[in-house]
Amino acid sequence: MNSPLIEKSLDFATKIVLFYEEFSKTRKDTTIVKQLLRSATSVGANISEAVYGNSKADFISKLHISLKETGESIYWLTLLQRTKLIDYDFDTLLLLAEEIKRMLISSINTAKENTK
């Protein structure tokens, strides 16, 4: 399936995995970055699950989980940016996460409207 939301979430996960690899080389505590890795890769995984959901309610539920994981990712990115543990272009990652968040909200709203 060729979906802009799936593509953006995969791009986001890829960028986060690459960031994680770079951060790991600093030998600093990776607790926060591991949390980010989990939440950011979960976004796309749940979107992919939504596509193959058993029902419209399952589809909407999985998108809600993706939305929560996106919000969590934004939190961890913002925390990393504020702590300045590593010099990195967090703005690009945050913009991509915000774009995914907007797309998820729109998709959830559309799916809900189509169930009425």
Side-chain angles (χ1 to χ4, degrees), residues 20 23 28-38 76:
Y20 176 80
F23 188 90
K28 294 180 180 173
D29 182 15
T30 59
T31 304
I32 296 169
V33 181
K34 285 180 182 175
Q35 289 290 112
L36 171 62
L37 182 65
R38 284 186 201 98
W76 295 126

Side-chain angles (χ1 to χ4, degrees), residues 9-23:
S9 66
L10 189 56
D11 288 345
F12 182 60
T14 301
K15 289 176 191 298
I16 295 299
V17 167
L18 295 173
F19 167 72
Y20 176 80
E21 291 300 317
E22 186 173 326
F23 188 90

Side-chain angles (χ1 to χ4, degrees), residues 73-92:
S73 297
I74 291 168
Y75 174 82
W76 295 126
L77 284 167
T78 302
L79 183 59
L80 284 163
Q81 185 178 43
R82 286 183 179 190
T83 60
K84 299 180 186 322
L85 292 173
I86 187 173
D87 185 30
Y88 201 83
D89 183 14
F90 290 105
D91 289 337
T92 298

Side-chain angles (χ1 to χ4, degrees), residues 18 26 30 44 56 71 89 99 107 116:
L18 295 173
T26 67
T30 59
K56 185 70 81 170
D89 183 14
E99 185 176 0
S107 295
K116 293 181 179 179

Side-chain angles (χ1 to χ4, degrees), residues 56-70:
K56 185 70 81 170
D58 189 33
F59 175 80
I60 293 169
S61 175
K62 294 293 183 193
L63 290 185
H64 269 289
I65 293 168
S66 290
L67 181 58
K68 288 180 183 182
E69 296 294 340
T70 304

